[in-house]
Amino acid sequence: MKDVYLLSGFLGSGKTTLLANMIESLKEQGLKPAVIMNELGELNFDSQAVEEGIPLKEMLNGCICCTGSENTEAQIQGLLAENDFDVLLIETTGAAHPVEALDAVYSPLFADQLNIKGIVTVADSKRWLMRHEMTPQTRSLFLEQIRHAHLLLVNKADLLTEQELGQVTYELQALNPNALIVQTTNAKVPYSFLNKIQATARPTDIEKADIGHHLHLSSRLVDFTDQAFTQEEIEDWVRSLPETVYRMKGYLPIKGNSKPMLFQYAYGLTQWMPEFIKMPPKLVIIGDGVDAIPLPTTTL
């Protein structure tokens, strides 16, 4: 399986510097990186940070989490088919919500080939101290990027006094008590911290998560081969789920249908669409603690 890291954070926080540092760290570990860079404009000036010889896909004019989600899926499929790599690094735009970015990346078509290590969020420590000057919408997204991180970098630590750095670190830990927090300058983080995080739930990950397995925001792939349900049974199951299940998408085997149906769930609403080719009966679930939620059952 290929490890995947999503790099999150506001424009100017240090994401591209982190990307360059992570590429160097992975190469030192003997691992081959590949990169997807997402930018809202027509030109991606940051792509020069990726050295020649590293597989690179660029997504322009669209956020990875909304209009670009299908493009993201196509880019990942292209990388998997065309390139030999060990770790995929995805630099999201400053406008990407982490849950939606994770949703765009984790498709049921190739979920069994990817191990989502987690979201690495670069938090600009100076910006944090001035967050009350942001517009409400901007501040809300800033807080969401921090709250859903698996590894949180308190970046530009060299620009703060010791007292300010302590205050920022304490406040960020209070906002996201599940994340590993590292104080950084120039987004330099040891590989050992990157390797500790884990956001893909596995069948054996049903015990309480420890420091090495942060499954507060995680992805779970469920295979429904040799099972079938009615739509009513799935809808009943959805109504029983906790609010911490944010997204689901995949292909569900429905009784009476020769081919699994496309199923999507977001914000409490479900969507069903018929498929005309036989897709693998797999469902991706994204949320907090999804490794422990019960799966749907069927009556004979």
Side-chain angles (χ1 to χ4, degrees):
M1 296 181 73
K2 318 289 188 184
D3 286 347
V4 181
Y5 293 91
L6 279 81
L7 312 187
S8 175
F10 262 67
L11 184 68
S13 61
K15 288 195 307 295
T16 303
T17 303
L18 171 64
L19 174 65
N21 291 339
M22 288 184 67
I23 288 173
E24 194 60 36
S25 294
L26 291 169
K27 290 172 63 180
E28 289 173 359
Q29 299 296 320
L31 299 171
K32 299 176 182 178
V35 175
I36 292 178
M37 300 189 78
N38 183 207
E39 190 55 68
L40 288 172
E42 295 183 357
L43 295 173
N44 190 353
F45 295 104
D46 291 334
S47 61
Q48 60 189 348
V50 181
E51 61 193 72
E52 191 173 346
I54 293 177
L56 169 66
K57 299 283 188 180
E58 294 179 278
M59 292 176 53
L60 306 176
N61 277 328
C63 178
I64 191 173
C65 60
C66 44
T67 57
S69 60
E70 290 184 2
N71 191 15
T72 306
E73 184 174 302
Q75 297 284 33
I76 294 175
Q77 284 184 304
L79 280 173
L80 289 169
E82 301 164 9
N83 299 276
D84 176 28
F85 65 94
D86 302 304
V87 180
L88 176 58
L89 306 177
I90 302 176
E91 181 184 347
T92 64
T93 72
H97 188 288
V99 173
E100 294 173 348
L102 190 63
D103 177 50
V105 168
Y106 207 169
S107 165
L109 298 179
F110 47 70
D112 56 354
Q113 300 179 59
L114 301 180
N115 173 37
I116 309 294
K117 291 290 288 182
I119 298 170
V120 183
T121 296
V122 187
D124 185 328
S125 55
K126 292 287 286 186
R127 187 187 293 269
W128 174 261
L129 291 175
M130 298 184 293
R131 65 191 181 280
H132 300 296
E133 300 176 13
M134 298 177 175
T135 64
Q137 295 89 344
T138 302
R139 183 169 62 249
S140 176
L141 179 58
F142 184 42
L143 297 178
E144 284 292 282
Q145 290 176 338
I146 292 168
R147 188 168 70 87
H148 288 294
H150 300 93
L151 175 61
L152 186 56
L153 307 188
V154 185
N155 200 33
K156 305 182 182 179
D158 55 319
L159 302 182
L160 303 186
T161 66
E162 187 174 331
Q163 182 178 0
E164 288 174 331
L165 183 58
Q167 175 190 340
V168 171
T169 304
Y170 175 80
E171 290 173 349
L172 293 181
Q173 187 73 83
L175 180 61
N176 185 349
N178 297 297
L180 288 171
I181 292 188
V182 184
Q183 298 171 350
T184 59
T185 299
N186 296 323
K188 190 72 175 177
V189 58
Y191 175 77
S192 58
F193 284 97
L194 297 168
N195 199 37
K196 280 181 182 179
I197 61 175
Q198 179 63 55
T200 299
R202 299 187 178 90
T204 56
D205 288 339
I206 56 175
E207 69 278 1
K208 183 175 175 59
D210 58 24
I211 193 170
H213 296 82
H214 293 271
L215 294 177
H216 55 288
L217 175 61
S218 56
S219 311
R220 180 179 179 184
L221 176 65
V222 183
D223 191 325
F224 289 114
T225 302
D226 300 325
Q227 291 180 271
F229 307 91
T230 64
Q231 285 186 239
E232 290 76 15
E233 287 170 338
I234 295 298
E235 295 285 354
D236 287 343
W237 171 65
V238 168
R239 283 190 287 270
S240 74
L241 294 175
E243 293 182 357
T244 50
V245 174
Y246 304 132
R247 299 278 195 279
M248 292 189 287
K249 61 181 178 181
Y251 302 93
L252 293 178
I254 299 300
K255 293 175 180 177
N257 289 26
S258 60
K259 300 176 180 64
M261 292 185 68
L262 174 63
F263 170 80
Q264 298 196 64
Y265 167 89
Y267 301 108
L269 301 176
T270 59
Q271 181 183 34
W272 296 87
M273 292 184 64
E275 278 292 335
F276 300 102
I277 59 175
K278 193 170 181 63
M279 303 298 290
K282 295 180 180 180
L283 179 71
V284 171
I285 307 172
I286 297 171
D288 289 335
V290 297
D291 53 320
I293 67 167
L295 297 179
T297 57
T298 183
T299 56
L300 297 177

